[in-house]
Amino acid sequence: MNGFIATLQRELTLAVRHGGDTLAALLFFFVAATLFPLAIGPGPETLARIAPGVVWVCALLSALLPLDRMFGADFDDGALDQLIVSGTAASLIAAAKALAHWLVTGLPLLLAAAPLATMLQMKPASLPVLLTGLALGTAVLSLLGTAAAAIVLGARRGSVLLPVLVLPLATPVLIFGTMAADAAATGLTPRPHLLLLGAFLAACLPLCPLAAGAALRAAVD
Amino acid sequence: MDASTPITSRPPRGRLLHRFANPGRFLRLAARVQPFLTWPALAFTLAGVVGGLFLSPADYQQGDAVRIMYIHVPAAWLASQGYASLAAASLVSLVWRHPLADLAAVEIGPVGAAVTALCLVTGSLWGKPMWGTWWVWDARLTSVLVLFFLYLGHIMLVRAFDDPERGYKAGAILALIGAVDLPIIKYSVDWWNTLHQPASITLTGAPTIAGSLLWPLALTTLGLTLGFWAVVTARLRAAVMERRIRSLLGAQAAAA
């Protein structure tokens, strides 16, 4: 457990020191979402209809951006070997990395999603549901992304491969998340969608760090 | 463990699983099995296609387009069966580190992706006359499309490493994640579809398949399934021989 906390502290310190890298994903989130009104037209009804989907897709894509360097930097400079031989289980290291990714990328995305959804004419009443869904969904994405980042470690064109691997696996997140927001917008209860999203998170919570740990051990062999 | 281990090294004896880890034994057996897969596959597929195209009647609702089903349905079955085999091979390779399972996972991937593509293309060809459009975001179409993406991701991943052993391991972990995730994807897509498109076009009300349409389907299913495994076996044999040649060349280069 000490290793978990130490890894988490290290990741957070690194994220603070490299503030620019941390904010890049957030900036991408804003820029990408701004393209949709420009491409589709500023009509408030159309925008309100597509707002949850746009926010969700842009959040998924921007959460992918930092994954490439999640283990990549440590792998290149040898720090990963030190982490693996430190005695902390590889899956715990992966879990710490996933938590750090969520705190550094998922949480800011969540904060940025509220003004963005408002700009896309989403009704304020359905905002809490969108944000709850995003909170669960970005956590799932951090976990799935950690596993995929560990799997592609050392691969050629790993950064291109990563989204191709993660996005099909993340389709349930997108579906449950957007449906919860849609249900709230049409006055239905978003509860089943959010519960399913929570169930998916509960399944990923133990499984993804395990898979990531196995992949990390294979990478430093 | 590493790629330079001579492939002739003897596996531990007495365990059934490891009997065929000996590439020589596998090659001898596979060479004997191959004709029993290839020729019946061709014969059954040919008989089924001839039966489906010329001998069986057209459907009273779907007309001649129903004949696409004789390829489409077996392709759809094989697509999911292929991913299940991929996951099974990955499990064996992770748990028992079976060298043939590694190669099997690598070789099943492209064949599975090919049948999945065949399923999507024939489905699209069927959809044009039946539904009036090449593509519908129907639950089954969408989940097969995601399955196709999973296959492609696996194929790209296992070939993206300079050290093949790393590729096998990464691919095996990915295939297992995919196998766990696939039922969830299927479920979520089904649910998404029923809530988003209540009036999706289905064949509800169509009669259960008549015998005159069924027998060519049985023949093509048998033929294409055997064909799938014939191609996988042939690819596996080629992969084992390729590894053998590479290690022979390596040994020669080391001796020189």
Side-chain angles (χ1 to χ4, degrees), chain A residues 49 144 147-148 150-157 160-161 164-165 168-172 175-176 178-179 182 192-193 196 200 203 207-208 211-212 214-216 218-221, chain B residues 1 83 94 97 146 149-150 152-154 156-163 166 169-171 173-174 177-182 184-193 195-196:
Chain A
R49 175 69 196 82
L144 278 177
I151 285 172
V152 299
L153 208 52
R156 295 185 301 270
R157 306 180 306 275
V160 186
L161 208 49
V164 180
L165 301 186
L169 294 173
T171 39
I175 290 175
F176 296 142
T178 48
M179 277 173 62
D182 278 347
H193 310 280
L196 281 168
F200 196 50
L207 293 179
C208 288
L216 284 182
V220 298
D221 248 359
Chain B
M1 191 58 202
Y83 202 84
L94 274 186
R97 309 212 161 171
V146 176
F149 292 152
L150 289 182
L152 292 186
H154 183 267
M156 284 170 68
L157 180 69
V158 288
R159 286 160 178 78
F161 290 90
D162 293 325
D163 173 13
R166 267 289 285 136
K169 192 114 188 213
I173 297 173
L174 179 74
I177 297 180
V180 173
D181 205 8
L182 204 55
I184 307 173
I185 293 173
K186 173 88 179 108
Y187 168 77
S188 67
V189 169
D190 278 349
W191 205 43
W192 159 76
N193 186 260
L195 289 196
H196 269 262

Side-chain angles (χ1 to χ4, degrees), chain A residues 74-95:
Chain A
D74 290 348
F75 184 65
D76 291 342
D77 65 14
L80 191 64
D81 298 82
Q82 300 297 324
L83 280 173
I84 296 294
V85 297
S86 69
T88 309
S91 47
L92 264 186
I93 293 169

Side-chain angles (χ1 to χ4, degrees), chain B residues 177-245:
Chain B
I177 297 180
V180 173
D181 205 8
L182 204 55
I184 307 173
I185 293 173
K186 173 88 179 108
Y187 168 77
S188 67
V189 169
D190 278 349
W191 205 43
W192 159 76
N193 186 260
T194 42
L195 289 196
H196 269 262
Q197 297 189 323
S200 177
I201 312 114
T202 53
L203 286 176
T204 42
T208 47
I209 275 184
S212 57
L213 297 176
L214 196 59
W215 66 265
L217 179 62
L219 284 178
T220 50
T221 303
L222 196 58
L224 287 176
T225 308
L226 286 172
F228 182 92
W229 291 107
V231 174
V232 170
T233 311
R235 288 183 66 102
L236 203 46
R237 288 170 65 198
V240 172
M241 287 189 233
E242 197 183 315
R243 248 166 80 151
R244 177 172 279 187
I245 289 169

